[in-house]
PDB file of all heavy atoms in Angstrom:
ATOM      1  N   PHE A 484      -7.541   9.428   5.267  1.00 98.00           N
ATOM      2  CA  PHE A 484      -6.806  10.073   6.348  1.00 98.00           C
ATOM      3  C   PHE A 484      -7.309   9.636   7.723  1.00 98.00           C
ATOM      4  O   PHE A 484      -6.587   9.810   8.716  1.00 98.00           O
ATOM      5  CB  PHE A 484      -6.896  11.594   6.211  1.00 98.00           C
ATOM      6  CG  PHE A 484      -5.872  12.184   5.291  1.00 98.00           C
ATOM      7  CD1 PHE A 484      -5.922  11.932   3.925  1.00 98.00           C
ATOM      8  CD2 PHE A 484      -4.839  12.992   5.774  1.00 98.00           C
ATOM      9  CE1 PHE A 484      -4.962  12.464   3.055  1.00 98.00           C
ATOM     10  CE2 PHE A 484      -3.879  13.520   4.925  1.00 98.00           C
ATOM     11  CZ  PHE A 484      -3.947  13.257   3.557  1.00 98.00           C
ATOM     12  N   CYS A 485      -8.497   9.073   7.791  1.00 98.00           N
ATOM     13  CA  CYS A 485      -9.038   8.596   9.056  1.00 98.00           C
ATOM     14  C   CYS A 485      -8.709   7.141   9.329  1.00 98.00           C
ATOM     15  O   CYS A 485      -8.920   6.657  10.441  1.00 98.00           O
ATOM     16  CB  CYS A 485     -10.551   8.792   9.096  1.00 98.00           C
ATOM     17  SG  CYS A 485     -11.091  10.516   9.210  1.00 98.00           S
ATOM     18  N   LEU A 531      -5.557  17.522  10.405  1.00 98.00           N
ATOM     19  CA  LEU A 531      -6.369  16.557  11.165  1.00 98.00           C
ATOM     20  C   LEU A 531      -5.535  15.363  11.567  1.00 98.00           C
ATOM     21  O   LEU A 531      -5.548  14.945  12.731  1.00 98.00           O
ATOM     22  CB  LEU A 531      -7.563  16.121  10.300  1.00 98.00           C
ATOM     23  CG  LEU A 531      -8.529  15.129  10.945  1.00 98.00           C
ATOM     24  CD1 LEU A 531      -9.432  15.837  11.948  1.00 98.00           C
ATOM     25  CD2 LEU A 531      -9.407  14.458   9.865  1.00 98.00           C
ATOM     26  N   ARG A 532      -4.805  14.826  10.624  1.00 98.00           N
ATOM     27  CA  ARG A 532      -3.984  13.626  10.911  1.00 98.00           C
ATOM     28  C   ARG A 532      -2.855  13.952  11.875  1.00 98.00           C
ATOM     29  O   ARG A 532      -2.542  13.157  12.753  1.00 98.00           O
ATOM     30  CB  ARG A 532      -3.412  13.090   9.574  1.00 98.00           C
ATOM     31  CG  ARG A 532      -2.608  11.810   9.736  1.00 98.00           C
ATOM     32  CD  ARG A 532      -3.506  10.619   9.955  1.00 98.00           C
ATOM     33  NE  ARG A 532      -2.740   9.381  10.124  1.00 98.00           N
ATOM     34  CZ  ARG A 532      -3.230   8.172   9.890  1.00 98.00           C
ATOM     35  NH1 ARG A 532      -4.468   8.024   9.488  1.00 98.00           N
ATOM     36  NH2 ARG A 532      -2.483   7.102  10.078  1.00 98.00           N
ATOM     37  N   HIS A 535      -4.256  14.652  15.828  1.00 98.00           N
ATOM     38  CA  HIS A 535      -5.123  13.746  16.577  1.00 98.00           C
ATOM     39  C   HIS A 535      -4.479  12.355  16.738  1.00 98.00           C
ATOM     40  O   HIS A 535      -4.442  11.558  15.801  1.00 98.00           O
ATOM     41  CB  HIS A 535      -6.485  13.644  15.911  1.00 98.00           C
ATOM     42  CG  HIS A 535      -7.265  14.920  15.981  1.00 98.00           C
ATOM     43  ND1 HIS A 535      -7.954  15.313  17.114  1.00 98.00           N
ATOM     44  CD2 HIS A 535      -7.400  15.941  15.089  1.00 98.00           C
ATOM     45  CE1 HIS A 535      -8.511  16.488  16.897  1.00 98.00           C
ATOM     46  NE2 HIS A 535      -8.179  16.894  15.680  1.00 98.00           N
ATOM     47  N   PRO A 536      -3.994  12.079  17.924  1.00 98.00           N
ATOM     48  CA  PRO A 536      -3.335  10.773  18.201  1.00 98.00           C
ATOM     49  C   PRO A 536      -4.228   9.579  17.891  1.00 98.00           C
ATOM     50  O   PRO A 536      -3.726   8.528  17.505  1.00 98.00           O
ATOM     51  CB  PRO A 536      -3.005  10.853  19.680  1.00 98.00           C
ATOM     52  CG  PRO A 536      -2.992  12.314  20.012  1.00 98.00           C
ATOM     53  CD  PRO A 536      -3.984  12.955  19.110  1.00 98.00           C
ATOM     54  N   ALA A 537      -5.551   9.737  18.056  1.00 98.00           N
ATOM     55  CA  ALA A 537      -6.448   8.626  17.780  1.00 98.00           C
ATOM     56  C   ALA A 537      -6.390   8.208  16.317  1.00 98.00           C
ATOM     57  O   ALA A 537      -6.572   7.027  15.996  1.00 98.00           O
ATOM     58  CB  ALA A 537      -7.886   8.990  18.153  1.00 98.00           C
ATOM     59  N   LEU A 538      -6.132   9.161  15.415  1.00 98.00           N
ATOM     60  CA  LEU A 538      -5.999   8.824  13.996  1.00 98.00           C
ATOM     61  C   LEU A 538      -4.626   8.251  13.696  1.00 98.00           C
ATOM     62  O   LEU A 538      -4.484   7.436  12.790  1.00 98.00           O
ATOM     63  CB  LEU A 538      -6.235  10.059  13.121  1.00 98.00           C
ATOM     64  CG  LEU A 538      -7.637  10.664  13.139  1.00 98.00           C
ATOM     65  CD1 LEU A 538      -7.729  11.833  12.160  1.00 98.00           C
ATOM     66  CD2 LEU A 538      -8.709   9.618  12.826  1.00 98.00           C
ATOM     67  N   ARG A 539      -3.631   8.667  14.422  1.00 98.00           N
ATOM     68  CA  ARG A 539      -2.265   8.211  14.169  1.00 98.00           C
ATOM     69  C   ARG A 539      -2.017   6.816  14.717  1.00 98.00           C
ATOM     70  O   ARG A 539      -1.302   6.015  14.102  1.00 98.00           O
ATOM     71  CB  ARG A 539      -1.266   9.205  14.771  1.00 98.00           C
ATOM     72  CG  ARG A 539      -1.323  10.579  14.143  1.00 98.00           C
ATOM     73  CD  ARG A 539      -0.456  11.591  14.875  1.00 98.00           C
ATOM     74  NE  ARG A 539       0.973  11.334  14.709  1.00 98.00           N
ATOM     75  CZ  ARG A 539       1.700  11.759  13.679  1.00 98.00           C
ATOM     76  NH1 ARG A 539       1.128  12.453  12.698  1.00 98.00           N
ATOM     77  NH2 ARG A 539       2.985  11.496  13.614  1.00 98.00           N
ATOM     78  N   ARG A 540      -2.604   6.512  15.871  1.00 97.00           N
ATOM     79  CA  ARG A 540      -2.265   5.268  16.570  1.00 97.00           C
ATOM     80  C   ARG A 540      -3.454   4.519  17.119  1.00 97.00           C
ATOM     81  O   ARG A 540      -3.304   3.401  17.622  1.00 97.00           O
ATOM     82  CB  ARG A 540      -1.310   5.565  17.726  1.00 97.00           C
ATOM     83  CG  ARG A 540       0.038   6.128  17.329  1.00 97.00           C
ATOM     84  CD  ARG A 540       0.881   6.478  18.528  1.00 97.00           C
ATOM     85  NE  ARG A 540       0.401   7.674  19.230  1.00 97.00           N
ATOM     86  CZ  ARG A 540       0.737   8.913  18.895  1.00 97.00           C
ATOM     87  NH1 ARG A 540       1.531   9.127  17.849  1.00 97.00           N
ATOM     88  NH2 ARG A 540       0.269   9.954  19.571  1.00 97.00           N
ATOM     89  N   GLY A 541      -4.647   5.093  17.079  1.00 98.00           N
ATOM     90  CA  GLY A 541      -5.785   4.532  17.790  1.00 98.00           C
ATOM     91  C   GLY A 541      -6.417   3.291  17.143  1.00 98.00           C
ATOM     92  O   GLY A 541      -6.137   2.947  15.995  1.00 98.00           O
ATOM     93  N   ARG A 557     -12.392   5.911  15.929  1.00 98.00           N
ATOM     94  CA  ARG A 557     -10.957   5.795  16.180  1.00 98.00           C
ATOM     95  C   ARG A 557     -10.747   6.256  17.614  1.00 98.00           C
ATOM     96  O   ARG A 557     -11.090   7.395  17.969  1.00 98.00           O
ATOM     97  CB  ARG A 557     -10.142   6.659  15.215  1.00 98.00           C
ATOM     98  CG  ARG A 557     -10.253   6.271  13.743  1.00 98.00           C
ATOM     99  CD  ARG A 557      -9.688   4.886  13.433  1.00 98.00           C
ATOM    100  NE  ARG A 557      -8.356   4.657  13.965  1.00 98.00           N
ATOM    101  CZ  ARG A 557      -7.226   5.026  13.368  1.00 98.00           C
ATOM    102  NH1 ARG A 557      -7.273   5.679  12.220  1.00 98.00           N
ATOM    103  NH2 ARG A 557      -6.059   4.773  13.908  1.00 98.00           N
ATOM    104  N   LEU A 564     -12.783   9.713  18.156  1.00 98.00           N
ATOM    105  CA  LEU A 564     -13.237  10.417  16.950  1.00 98.00           C
ATOM    106  C   LEU A 564     -14.217   9.528  16.207  1.00 98.00           C
ATOM    107  O   LEU A 564     -13.967   8.332  16.006  1.00 98.00           O
ATOM    108  CB  LEU A 564     -12.050  10.747  16.038  1.00 98.00           C
ATOM    109  CG  LEU A 564     -10.948  11.644  16.601  1.00 98.00           C
ATOM    110  CD1 LEU A 564      -9.962  11.985  15.488  1.00 98.00           C
ATOM    111  CD2 LEU A 564     -11.522  12.932  17.191  1.00 98.00           C
ATOM    112  N   CYS A 566     -15.906   8.957  12.631  1.00 98.00           N
ATOM    113  CA  CYS A 566     -15.677   9.262  11.226  1.00 98.00           C
ATOM    114  C   CYS A 566     -16.860   8.739  10.426  1.00 98.00           C
ATOM    115  O   CYS A 566     -17.155   7.527  10.481  1.00 98.00           O
ATOM    116  CB  CYS A 566     -14.372   8.604  10.741  1.00 98.00           C
ATOM    117  SG  CYS A 566     -12.953   8.945  11.803  1.00 98.00           S
TER     118      CYS A 566
END
Side-chain angles (χ1 to χ4, degrees):
F484 275 68
C485 289
L531 181 76
R532 183 75 181 204
H535 293 280
L538 295 184
R539 296 173 70 85
R540 296 176 287 274
R557 296 296 310 277
L564 300 186
C566 309

